[in-house]
Amino acid sequence: MKYLLAEWTHQEEDEPYLLYSEMDETRRETRRVEFYRNGITFSYGGERGNEGALRQEPFPEDLRDLQPPEAETEGDFSAQEISPGLFYEIWNQAQERPDGFMGMFF
């Protein structure tokens, strides 16, 4: 497994600014934690389910090639590998929302 931290500098309230991801040997995402500026945190994959929210394509070998889904948006985006220990610390502390993002609206 490999782990990464992506930081996205922007002002959008409905997009995460920090993303912690776990990827398998094929560089496919298996778990992710997202942090939003309004204090909300979401986690996907593993025992938390909702694997459909995970990135479907493998991460690029060179993380400098990684861009957010909204590639035309403004702001700086960077990604770097992190230690397993840091990922697990974030994963274990993340607040679980089993109903996902849309649960905020119902």
Side-chain angles (χ1 to χ4, degrees), residues 29-31 44-56:
E29 190 172 49
T30 56
R31 294 191 284 179
Y44 307 100
E47 65 274 11
R48 304 209 177 130
N50 202 5
E51 284 79 11
L54 298 174
R55 179 183 169 95
Q56 298 302 305

Side-chain angles (χ1 to χ4, degrees), residues 63-76:
L63 293 176
R64 292 177 292 187
D65 294 334
L66 183 63
Q67 291 295 316
E70 302 77 15
E72 290 85 36
T73 59
E74 295 181 22
D76 293 326

Side-chain angles (χ1 to χ4, degrees), residues 12-28:
E12 301 295 325
E13 288 291 322
D14 60 346
E15 296 292 340
Y17 74 99
L18 290 176
L19 299 103
Y20 291 84
S21 293
E22 174 185 70
M23 56 184 145
D24 66 14
E25 62 279 349
T26 65
R27 302 188 69 79
R28 293 196 182 273

Side-chain angles (χ1 to χ4, degrees), residues 37-48:
R37 296 207 180 280
N38 60 7
I40 294 174
T41 303
F42 295 108
S43 51
Y44 307 100
E47 65 274 11
R48 304 209 177 130

